[in-house]
Short mmCIF file of all heavy atoms in Angstrom, two decimals:
data_model
loop_
_atom_site.label_atom_id
_atom_site.label_comp_id
_atom_site.label_asym_id
_atom_site.label_seq_id
_atom_site.Cartn_x
_atom_site.Cartn_y
_atom_site.Cartn_z
N ILE N 1 -35.92 -22.44 -26.76
CA ILE N 1 -35.04 -21.69 -27.72
C ILE N 1 -34.62 -22.71 -28.72
O ILE N 1 -34.52 -22.33 -30.01
CB ILE N 1 -33.82 -21.20 -26.96
CG1 ILE N 1 -34.24 -20.01 -26.02
CG2 ILE N 1 -32.80 -20.72 -27.92
CD1 ILE N 1 -33.17 -19.57 -25.05
N ILE N 2 -34.28 -23.90 -28.39
CA ILE N 2 -33.89 -24.85 -29.47
C ILE N 2 -35.01 -25.25 -30.34
O ILE N 2 -34.76 -25.22 -31.64
CB ILE N 2 -33.37 -26.18 -28.75
CG1 ILE N 2 -32.08 -25.82 -27.90
CG2 ILE N 2 -33.10 -27.30 -29.74
CD1 ILE N 2 -31.75 -26.89 -26.94
N TRP N 3 -36.19 -25.49 -29.85
CA TRP N 3 -37.31 -25.66 -30.77
C TRP N 3 -37.64 -24.56 -31.60
O TRP N 3 -37.96 -24.70 -32.80
CB TRP N 3 -38.59 -26.11 -29.96
CG TRP N 3 -38.65 -27.57 -29.63
CD1 TRP N 3 -38.55 -28.14 -28.43
CD2 TRP N 3 -38.78 -28.65 -30.55
NE1 TRP N 3 -38.66 -29.47 -28.48
CE2 TRP N 3 -38.74 -29.76 -29.87
CE3 TRP N 3 -38.91 -28.71 -31.94
CZ2 TRP N 3 -38.93 -31.04 -30.50
CZ3 TRP N 3 -39.01 -29.92 -32.56
CH2 TRP N 3 -39.01 -31.06 -31.82
N ARG N 4 -37.44 -23.32 -31.11
CA ARG N 4 -37.69 -22.16 -31.96
C ARG N 4 -36.67 -22.12 -33.14
O ARG N 4 -37.00 -21.73 -34.19
CB ARG N 4 -37.54 -20.88 -31.06
CG ARG N 4 -37.84 -19.65 -31.79
CD ARG N 4 -39.27 -19.46 -31.99
NE ARG N 4 -39.55 -18.17 -32.62
CZ ARG N 4 -40.13 -17.99 -33.77
NH1 ARG N 4 -40.58 -19.00 -34.47
NH2 ARG N 4 -40.33 -16.75 -34.28
N GLY N 5 -35.46 -22.57 -32.87
CA GLY N 5 -34.52 -22.67 -33.86
C GLY N 5 -34.79 -23.69 -34.89
O GLY N 5 -34.29 -23.75 -36.08
N LEU N 6 -35.67 -24.64 -34.53
CA LEU N 6 -36.07 -25.73 -35.47
C LEU N 6 -37.43 -25.39 -36.13
O LEU N 6 -38.04 -26.31 -36.67
CB LEU N 6 -36.19 -27.02 -34.67
CG LEU N 6 -34.87 -27.55 -34.17
CD1 LEU N 6 -35.11 -28.71 -33.22
CD2 LEU N 6 -33.95 -27.92 -35.25
N SER N 7 -37.83 -24.14 -36.12
CA SER N 7 -39.15 -23.75 -36.55
C SER N 7 -39.42 -24.10 -38.05
O SER N 7 -40.60 -24.12 -38.44
CB SER N 7 -39.45 -22.31 -36.28
OG SER N 7 -38.58 -21.47 -37.00
N LYS N 8 -38.40 -24.23 -38.82
CA LYS N 8 -38.64 -24.52 -40.27
C LYS N 8 -38.67 -26.04 -40.55
O LYS N 8 -38.86 -26.53 -41.70
CB LYS N 8 -37.42 -23.98 -41.09
CG LYS N 8 -37.31 -22.48 -41.00
CD LYS N 8 -38.24 -21.76 -41.76
CE LYS N 8 -37.92 -20.21 -41.74
NZ LYS N 8 -38.99 -19.39 -41.98
N THR N 9 -38.60 -26.89 -39.50
CA THR N 9 -38.65 -28.34 -39.68
C THR N 9 -40.11 -28.85 -39.64
O THR N 9 -40.95 -28.22 -39.09
CB THR N 9 -37.81 -29.04 -38.61
OG1 THR N 9 -38.49 -28.92 -37.34
CG2 THR N 9 -36.39 -28.55 -38.53
N GLN N 10 -40.23 -30.05 -40.21
CA GLN N 10 -41.54 -30.69 -40.24
C GLN N 10 -42.01 -31.03 -38.84
O GLN N 10 -43.18 -30.89 -38.54
CB GLN N 10 -41.49 -31.97 -41.10
CG GLN N 10 -42.79 -32.77 -41.05
CD GLN N 10 -43.45 -32.77 -42.34
OE1 GLN N 10 -42.97 -32.32 -43.35
NE2 GLN N 10 -44.63 -33.34 -42.39
N ALA N 11 -41.10 -31.45 -38.01
CA ALA N 11 -41.34 -31.86 -36.61
C ALA N 11 -41.99 -30.63 -35.88
O ALA N 11 -43.02 -30.76 -35.13
CB ALA N 11 -40.18 -32.36 -35.90
N TYR N 12 -41.41 -29.50 -36.07
CA TYR N 12 -41.98 -28.31 -35.42
C TYR N 12 -43.31 -27.89 -36.06
O TYR N 12 -44.26 -27.60 -35.28
CB TYR N 12 -41.00 -27.09 -35.55
CG TYR N 12 -41.44 -25.83 -34.79
CD1 TYR N 12 -41.06 -25.69 -33.47
CD2 TYR N 12 -42.18 -24.89 -35.37
CE1 TYR N 12 -41.56 -24.58 -32.79
CE2 TYR N 12 -42.57 -23.71 -34.77
CZ TYR N 12 -42.24 -23.55 -33.46
OH TYR N 12 -42.64 -22.50 -32.74
N ALA N 13 -43.38 -27.89 -37.38
CA ALA N 13 -44.54 -27.44 -38.14
C ALA N 13 -45.79 -28.28 -37.71
O ALA N 13 -46.90 -27.80 -37.71
CB ALA N 13 -44.35 -27.45 -39.52
N THR N 14 -45.59 -29.58 -37.52
CA THR N 14 -46.77 -30.48 -37.26
C THR N 14 -47.10 -30.66 -35.79
O THR N 14 -48.01 -31.37 -35.49
CB THR N 14 -46.48 -31.85 -37.91
OG1 THR N 14 -45.33 -32.42 -37.30
CG2 THR N 14 -46.34 -31.74 -39.44
N SER N 15 -46.34 -30.01 -34.93
CA SER N 15 -46.58 -30.13 -33.50
C SER N 15 -47.36 -28.95 -32.95
O SER N 15 -47.01 -27.80 -33.32
CB SER N 15 -45.33 -30.38 -32.73
OG SER N 15 -44.74 -31.60 -33.10
N GLU N 16 -48.24 -29.11 -31.94
CA GLU N 16 -48.85 -28.06 -31.31
C GLU N 16 -48.39 -27.90 -29.89
O GLU N 16 -48.54 -26.90 -29.28
CB GLU N 16 -50.44 -28.19 -31.39
CG GLU N 16 -50.97 -28.01 -32.72
CD GLU N 16 -50.64 -26.63 -33.35
OE1 GLU N 16 -50.74 -25.64 -32.64
OE2 GLU N 16 -50.38 -26.54 -34.55
N THR N 17 -47.86 -29.01 -29.38
CA THR N 17 -47.29 -29.03 -28.02
C THR N 17 -45.98 -29.81 -28.11
O THR N 17 -45.70 -30.63 -28.97
CB THR N 17 -48.20 -29.68 -26.90
OG1 THR N 17 -48.45 -31.02 -27.34
CG2 THR N 17 -49.45 -28.94 -26.77
N PHE N 18 -45.10 -29.50 -27.15
CA PHE N 18 -43.78 -30.07 -27.09
C PHE N 18 -43.49 -30.60 -25.66
O PHE N 18 -43.76 -29.95 -24.72
CB PHE N 18 -42.69 -29.00 -27.46
CG PHE N 18 -42.88 -28.52 -28.87
CD1 PHE N 18 -43.80 -27.48 -29.05
CD2 PHE N 18 -42.28 -29.05 -29.93
CE1 PHE N 18 -44.04 -27.01 -30.35
CE2 PHE N 18 -42.46 -28.55 -31.20
CZ PHE N 18 -43.36 -27.56 -31.41
N ALA N 19 -42.99 -31.87 -25.64
CA ALA N 19 -42.69 -32.53 -24.31
C ALA N 19 -41.31 -32.11 -23.93
O ALA N 19 -40.31 -32.38 -24.70
CB ALA N 19 -42.84 -34.00 -24.45
N ILE N 20 -41.13 -31.39 -22.83
CA ILE N 20 -39.86 -30.89 -22.36
C ILE N 20 -39.58 -31.40 -20.95
O ILE N 20 -40.41 -31.44 -20.15
CB ILE N 20 -39.91 -29.33 -22.39
CG1 ILE N 20 -40.02 -28.83 -23.82
CG2 ILE N 20 -38.70 -28.75 -21.66
CD1 ILE N 20 -40.18 -27.31 -23.96
N GLN N 21 -38.34 -31.88 -20.78
CA GLN N 21 -37.92 -32.51 -19.55
C GLN N 21 -37.49 -31.26 -18.60
O GLN N 21 -36.64 -30.55 -19.00
CB GLN N 21 -36.76 -33.39 -19.74
CG GLN N 21 -37.10 -34.66 -20.50
CD GLN N 21 -38.01 -35.55 -19.74
OE1 GLN N 21 -37.88 -35.72 -18.56
NE2 GLN N 21 -39.03 -36.03 -20.34
N GLU N 22 -38.00 -31.17 -17.40
CA GLU N 22 -37.70 -30.13 -16.41
C GLU N 22 -37.69 -30.79 -15.09
O GLU N 22 -38.71 -31.27 -14.61
CB GLU N 22 -38.68 -28.99 -16.49
CG GLU N 22 -38.44 -27.90 -15.55
CD GLU N 22 -37.19 -27.00 -15.96
OE1 GLU N 22 -37.13 -26.49 -17.11
OE2 GLU N 22 -36.32 -26.89 -15.08
N SER N 23 -36.52 -30.85 -14.47
CA SER N 23 -36.34 -31.38 -13.12
C SER N 23 -36.85 -32.80 -13.06
O SER N 23 -37.49 -33.22 -12.14
CB SER N 23 -37.02 -30.51 -12.10
OG SER N 23 -36.46 -29.21 -12.10
N GLY N 24 -36.54 -33.65 -14.14
CA GLY N 24 -36.95 -34.96 -13.96
C GLY N 24 -38.43 -35.27 -14.36
O GLY N 24 -38.82 -36.41 -14.34
N GLN N 25 -39.14 -34.26 -14.69
CA GLN N 25 -40.54 -34.43 -15.11
C GLN N 25 -40.73 -33.93 -16.55
O GLN N 25 -40.04 -33.07 -17.02
CB GLN N 25 -41.42 -33.64 -14.16
CG GLN N 25 -41.41 -34.15 -12.74
CD GLN N 25 -42.43 -33.38 -11.85
OE1 GLN N 25 -43.18 -32.52 -12.33
NE2 GLN N 25 -42.56 -33.82 -10.59
N THR N 26 -41.72 -34.56 -17.18
CA THR N 26 -42.06 -34.09 -18.57
C THR N 26 -43.14 -33.07 -18.50
O THR N 26 -44.18 -33.28 -17.93
CB THR N 26 -42.50 -35.28 -19.43
OG1 THR N 26 -41.41 -36.26 -19.44
CG2 THR N 26 -42.79 -34.87 -20.88
N VAL N 27 -42.90 -31.91 -19.12
CA VAL N 27 -43.85 -30.81 -19.16
C VAL N 27 -44.25 -30.61 -20.57
O VAL N 27 -43.45 -30.62 -21.58
CB VAL N 27 -43.13 -29.50 -18.57
CG1 VAL N 27 -44.19 -28.31 -18.63
CG2 VAL N 27 -42.62 -29.70 -17.20
N SER N 28 -45.54 -30.46 -20.80
CA SER N 28 -46.14 -30.23 -22.10
C SER N 28 -46.22 -28.63 -22.32
O SER N 28 -46.90 -27.99 -21.56
CB SER N 28 -47.48 -30.84 -22.25
OG SER N 28 -47.99 -30.61 -23.56
N VAL N 29 -45.49 -28.15 -23.32
CA VAL N 29 -45.50 -26.71 -23.56
C VAL N 29 -46.13 -26.49 -24.92
O VAL N 29 -45.66 -27.03 -25.98
CB VAL N 29 -43.95 -26.25 -23.57
CG1 VAL N 29 -43.93 -24.70 -23.88
CG2 VAL N 29 -43.29 -26.60 -22.30
N PRO N 30 -47.09 -25.60 -24.99
CA PRO N 30 -47.80 -25.26 -26.23
C PRO N 30 -46.80 -24.50 -27.19
O PRO N 30 -45.95 -23.79 -26.73
CB PRO N 30 -48.90 -24.34 -25.83
CG PRO N 30 -49.02 -24.47 -24.34
CD PRO N 30 -47.71 -24.94 -23.86
N LYS N 31 -47.05 -24.58 -28.47
CA LYS N 31 -46.27 -23.97 -29.46
C LYS N 31 -46.24 -22.43 -29.25
O LYS N 31 -45.21 -21.78 -29.42
CB LYS N 31 -46.80 -24.25 -30.91
CG LYS N 31 -45.86 -23.63 -32.02
CD LYS N 31 -46.43 -23.97 -33.39
CE LYS N 31 -46.14 -25.40 -33.80
NZ LYS N 31 -46.49 -25.74 -35.13
N LEU N 32 -47.33 -21.84 -28.80
CA LEU N 32 -47.36 -20.41 -28.55
C LEU N 32 -46.37 -19.96 -27.53
O LEU N 32 -45.62 -19.03 -27.73
CB LEU N 32 -48.75 -19.92 -28.13
CG LEU N 32 -48.94 -18.46 -27.80
CD1 LEU N 32 -48.62 -17.67 -29.04
CD2 LEU N 32 -50.32 -18.24 -27.29
N ILE N 33 -46.23 -20.78 -26.51
CA ILE N 33 -45.22 -20.39 -25.44
C ILE N 33 -43.75 -20.61 -26.01
O ILE N 33 -42.88 -19.81 -25.72
CB ILE N 33 -45.37 -21.34 -24.29
CG1 ILE N 33 -46.74 -21.14 -23.59
CG2 ILE N 33 -44.23 -21.17 -23.23
CD1 ILE N 33 -47.04 -19.71 -23.09
N ILE N 34 -43.52 -21.59 -26.88
CA ILE N 34 -42.27 -21.80 -27.54
C ILE N 34 -41.91 -20.53 -28.37
O ILE N 34 -40.80 -20.00 -28.21
CB ILE N 34 -42.31 -23.04 -28.47
CG1 ILE N 34 -42.63 -24.30 -27.72
CG2 ILE N 34 -41.06 -23.13 -29.36
CD1 ILE N 34 -41.51 -24.93 -26.97
N GLU N 35 -42.86 -20.07 -29.12
CA GLU N 35 -42.66 -18.85 -29.96
C GLU N 35 -42.38 -17.66 -29.12
O GLU N 35 -41.49 -16.85 -29.42
CB GLU N 35 -43.76 -18.71 -31.00
CG GLU N 35 -43.81 -19.91 -31.98
CD GLU N 35 -44.97 -19.86 -32.91
OE1 GLU N 35 -45.82 -19.01 -32.76
OE2 GLU N 35 -45.02 -20.74 -33.76
N GLN N 36 -43.18 -17.46 -28.14
CA GLN N 36 -43.00 -16.26 -27.31
C GLN N 36 -41.71 -16.21 -26.52
O GLN N 36 -41.01 -15.26 -26.48
CB GLN N 36 -44.15 -16.16 -26.29
CG GLN N 36 -45.54 -15.77 -26.86
CD GLN N 36 -46.66 -15.87 -25.90
OE1 GLN N 36 -46.59 -16.50 -24.85
NE2 GLN N 36 -47.71 -15.20 -26.30
N THR N 37 -41.30 -17.34 -26.01
CA THR N 37 -40.07 -17.49 -25.26
C THR N 37 -38.89 -17.25 -26.22
O THR N 37 -37.90 -16.45 -25.84
CB THR N 37 -39.98 -18.88 -24.56
OG1 THR N 37 -41.01 -19.04 -23.69
CG2 THR N 37 -38.67 -18.92 -23.74
N GLY N 38 -38.91 -17.83 -27.40
CA GLY N 38 -37.85 -17.60 -28.39
C GLY N 38 -37.69 -16.12 -28.74
O GLY N 38 -36.56 -15.64 -28.80
N VAL N 39 -38.74 -15.50 -28.92
CA VAL N 39 -38.77 -14.04 -29.24
C VAL N 39 -38.26 -13.30 -28.13
O VAL N 39 -37.40 -12.30 -28.25
CB VAL N 39 -40.14 -13.56 -29.76
CG1 VAL N 39 -40.20 -12.05 -29.88
CG2 VAL N 39 -40.55 -14.25 -31.09
#
């Protein structure tokens, strides 16, 4: 949701995956999932 809110930033525009911390582990989430979850 936070990354979706940053969708107009250069960091978002130039990334295809996002490293997200979940339960002490880093999970790589594709941009498509970011967009679908935000919607």
Side-chain angles (χ1 to χ4, degrees):
I1 292 166
I2 295 163
W3 274 114
R4 185 72 176 122
L6 297 169
S7 63
K8 302 281 187 207
T9 66
Q10 174 113 7
Y12 185 87
T14 59
S15 297
E16 290 302 318
T17 61
F18 299 84
I20 294 176
Q21 295 293 319
E22 180 71 55
S23 302
Q25 296 184 357
T26 302
V27 178
S28 181
V29 179
K31 187 182 280 187
L32 179 62
I33 299 299
I34 299 284
E35 293 174 358
Q36 289 174 340
T37 303
V39 169

